[in-house]
Amino acid sequence: MTKITPDHLARSAMVYVRQSTADQVVNNHESRRRQYGLAKRAKALGWAAIEVIDDDLGRSGSGIARPGFETLLAAICEGRVGAVVSIEASRLARNGRDWHTLLEFCGLVGTLIIDEDGVYEPRDPNDRLLLGMKGTMSEMELSLFRQRSLEALKQKARRGELFLTVAVGYLKARHDRIEKDPDRRIQEAISLVFSKFTELQTVRQVLLWMRQEHLPLPATGYDADGRTVTWKLPVYNTLHHILTNPIYAGAYAFGRTRSCIRLADGRKKIVRGFRKERAAWDTLILDHHAGYIGWAEFERNQRLISDNANGKGFMSRGAVRRGEALLAGLFRCGHCGRKLHVAYSGESGSSGRYHCRGAQFNHGGASCISFGGMRVDRAVGDEVIERLQPLGVEAALAALETRRNEAAEKRRQLDLALEQARYEVARARRQYDAVDPDNRLVAAELEQRWNERLRAVQTLEQERDTTAADPRLPFTPPERQALLDLGADIKRAWHSPGATPQTRKRILRTVIDEIVVSVEDDALNLVIRWQGGDHTSLRVRKNRAGQHRWSTTEDMVELITALARQMPDRAIASLLNRAGKRTSRGLNWNRSHVCVWRNHRRIEPYREGERSERGEATLDEAASALNISEATVRRLIADKTLPAQQVCKGAPWIILVSDLQREAVRNAADARRLRRPPSDDSQQNVLVF
């Protein structure tokens, strides 16, 4: 060969070996033998130093990371390679980038490329053209293979016959059909997930309940013996997959996810698992096989799961969360159409306030609406109670039935687990009995397995007995009657201390779809959209700016304002307490409360001597000026002889000094002092002691 020079032979010949998949490595032995046999050809061509690179066995040449190919390129760049030997161009690369990179490096350092057809010099234009065409054909060939394979898969999927994997709870009946797993324990465990989701409404609550009750779920795996089923406590992703997989609704779906191709470190990286909208699924065939639930229930579950996703949707209600605000997630702004959020304040964080700040967050605009939650929660709650009252007894009976079913479900799961565990014990015993007693290594292992199965049965029996003896499971007659009484009086049940905010929220979400709220002056206009499609209008009074549930009433404001001009704070507090007045929080008044109240309203404190500056006299000052007792002054006031005012009972009398100088007042005072009744009759005598 004239293309092979002594310089090429002085360097090493690299034999590159690759097969695309692990299945080819296991089954296609001839291709691998042919590639390894190229070392003999390189030796026949004159090379003494021959290296075989087979690190890429089982790796595709379409562009994913190939350590063997990277090693080959590094050796070429170091100038150690005189020739690269492979059976064809497709073994070296299946994409244009890797192929032309190889050609470029080989041309720079003078490395030959040898396949079964000939020897090529990348520096020669004709050989370079031929190698380029081979690489292009190899890449095109792979594209055609992939296109034909994918189209065949899609064609099979359109018929509902393609099953790459089978979800737990199902088995392949034939190569193109599936059916429910005949294991009753598996069937009832899957059914329990759907029934509890219908009851609890969120995936997380189902997860917490199942882990609290120690109820495992089946999980499939594959080993040397084929498909195996193991039981373990669920995690969130397991439950979410079961509840969102349409296979459990009897539907065949294909193409629910898509792949995304990115560049990472200069190479193609495929990221799979991006969910597509249902309209973009490749195939959806309803009533394809027997399901655990119906399609209508599946769609309702998907809406509920989507609605529970906090912050992931423009109008998703979000899951029921902690907090006193009962209508969180149900409000929609009647002005801009955005969802309202809740902010909590107060010392214990229990004071909820609904606000619409979407425009402020998104566009930097002003806040839309904001209002306190206590009054509107109470108004909507009363509206719901009024509509649920006729259904109260039915709800109580349903609660009794749910409690019975819950206990029965747990016992049923334990019975099935115990039945399977006893089967495992019997199977382990048969294996132990079948072994040769002299083969102690095997017999000891089988005996240990038998003991483990026996301990598992004992544990399940103890748990079953504990569950049967649990006093919380059945209702006692008094508890049953109390529940029926609450059902007959929904309002009392609603305000019962045992009714948590989470329970009330679930009731509200069961009957209410959404509430459109708008603010007009000092009122909230609500449009309640019920789940059945009906609408109800409701108007709720809204506090003015500065008003809240702890605000002091108007009559108290006027009273304390007037008293502040008559006496100091301590005296005001004593007077209010004697009168039975309380603060807005129901506390007794003290000097500090009065002082804070005044300062908040910027009212000056009482200053000694200010009444005399206004020309006012107290009761004792009036008695001193008229030279009579305070009781006499009171009688003059009662007779309306002496004009006087009193802010409230027990407050100081307000008497004008100018009124004390009136002749009628002084004559009346003299008559009282001299023990004579006031009279205009001049003939009446005076009794002198």
Side-chain angles (χ1 to χ4, degrees), residues 93-108:
R94 279 288 195 178
N95 64 78
R97 186 200 61 182
D98 286 350
W99 178 248
H100 289 287
T101 299
L102 176 66
L103 295 184
E104 187 68 24
F105 286 177
C106 290
L108 289 175

Side-chain angles (χ1 to χ4, degrees), residues 114-130:
I114 302 175
D115 63 13
E116 291 185 332
D117 296 330
V119 179
Y120 306 95
E121 170 60 75
R123 293 179 176 179
D124 183 82
N126 292 327
D127 286 357
R128 182 68 173 262
L129 176 62
L130 184 57

Side-chain angles (χ1 to χ4, degrees), residues 397-559:
L397 294 175
L400 291 169
E401 186 65 25
T402 300
R403 185 68 173 269
R404 282 195 296 268
N405 291 340
E406 185 175 311
E409 286 168 355
K410 184 174 182 179
R411 287 195 296 269
R412 179 62 175 166
Q413 292 296 316
L414 288 174
D415 290 340
L416 292 173
L418 187 58
E419 183 178 348
Q420 182 175 359
R422 286 170 176 165
Y423 163 75
E424 296 291 340
V425 168
R427 182 169 176 267
R429 180 176 180 177
R430 289 195 300 270
Q431 291 175 339
Y432 177 76
D433 291 340
V435 72
D436 186 354
D438 294 333
N439 191 354
R440 293 307 304 164
L441 294 178
V442 176
E445 175 65 23
L446 293 177
E447 183 180 9
Q448 180 182 353
R449 294 182 184 178
W450 185 13
N451 290 332
E452 289 177 355
R453 303 297 189 273
L454 288 172
R455 284 193 292 270
V457 169
Q458 184 180 8
T459 301
L460 288 171
E461 288 177 344
Q462 291 175 353
E463 187 174 356
R464 184 192 60 180
D465 295 340
T466 302
T467 302
D470 191 346
R472 297 175 302 168
L473 293 180
F475 276 107
T476 62
E479 290 175 336
R480 177 186 175 88
Q481 187 58 44
L483 185 60
L484 291 174
D485 292 342
L486 284 176
D489 188 355
I490 291 293
K491 186 172 184 179
R492 185 162 64 92
W494 181 267
H495 297 289
S496 171
T500 64
Q502 289 81 0
T503 302
R504 297 188 184 102
K505 289 178 185 180
R506 290 195 181 96
I507 295 174
L508 290 172
R509 289 173 176 233
T510 302
V511 297
I512 296 178
D513 183 25
E514 68 173 3
I515 303 173
V516 180
V517 56
S518 57
V519 179
E520 295 182 5
D521 299 329
D522 60 344
L524 300 173
N525 290 330
L526 309 179
V527 177
I528 304 174
R529 179 184 174 189
W530 305 94
Q531 290 289 0
D534 293 338
H535 295 74
T536 299
S537 297
L538 190 64
R539 187 175 178 87
V540 180
R541 186 174 64 84
K542 179 179 180 295
N543 289 337
R544 295 187 178 90
Q547 288 184 337
H548 49 81
R549 55 175 164 164
W550 307 124
S551 298
T552 308
T553 59
E554 290 295 331
D555 57 339
M556 283 292 292
V557 171
E558 296 176 359
L559 174 61

Side-chain angles (χ1 to χ4, degrees), residues 57 65 72 90-91 151 174 205 230 237 248 264 274 312 345 366 385 422 489 493 536-537 671 673:
L57 283 173
L72 175 63
S90 64
R91 296 300 92 195
E151 188 58 36
R174 300 192 302 272
Q205 290 300 319
T230 57
N237 287 339
Y248 294 104
F274 292 93
K312 292 188 177 180
S345 60
I385 290 172
R422 286 170 176 165
D489 188 355
T536 299
S537 297
R673 187 175 58 254

